[in-house]
Amino acid sequence: MTPIPDATFTLAFIQNLGGQEMILIFFVVLLIFGPKKLPELFRSLGKSLKEFKKASSEIEDDIRTAMNSEPEVRRPLSTEKDPNELHLHRDS
């Protein structure tokens, strides 16, 4: 899986929107929230996207380090037999 570069990170549905659609959405949001609430709304949206990107990159880094680390191999410390080990003996 190839990581998404930070500079080109976009949401999937935004890729299909053109300039006219973006302007229309902006004006609808402006009408609903008003000019006083608009900067606060976009500021909180930006913070949310930043936190989402941070969390997703942390998870991606954790997965990469887990995949790159070598598995721990456990070996018995002594040559004594384990008393809990099941032995099947054939009596002849």
Side-chain angles (χ1 to χ4, degrees):
M1 186 169 122
T2 58
I4 299 172
D6 289 341
T8 60
F9 179 77
T10 57
L11 297 174
F13 68 90
I14 292 178
Q15 292 176 353
N16 296 329
L17 294 177
Q20 293 176 344
E21 291 90 359
M22 295 290 280
I23 291 172
L24 179 66
I25 291 171
F26 177 74
F27 280 123
V28 169
V29 170
L30 182 63
L31 288 173
I32 292 173
F33 293 103
K36 291 183 181 179
K37 289 282 185 177
L38 203 58
E40 182 182 327
L41 178 69
F42 283 118
R43 191 175 302 115
S44 64
L45 179 65
K47 286 180 183 180
S48 300
L49 285 174
K50 181 180 177 183
E51 287 296 320
F52 177 76
K53 285 171 56 175
K54 180 181 175 186
S56 64
S57 67
E58 287 176 358
I59 291 171
E60 195 174 278
D61 290 342
D62 289 344
I63 292 172
R64 271 200 199 104
T65 56
M67 289 176 65
N68 291 338
S69 66
E70 294 183 22
E72 184 178 312
V73 178
R74 293 186 179 185
R75 297 181 185 194
L77 296 175
S78 64
T79 57
E80 296 177 2
K81 293 188 177 192
D82 186 9
N84 297 326
E85 190 175 311
L86 179 64
H87 293 285
L88 298 175
H89 295 286
R90 194 179 250 184
D91 294 333
S92 32

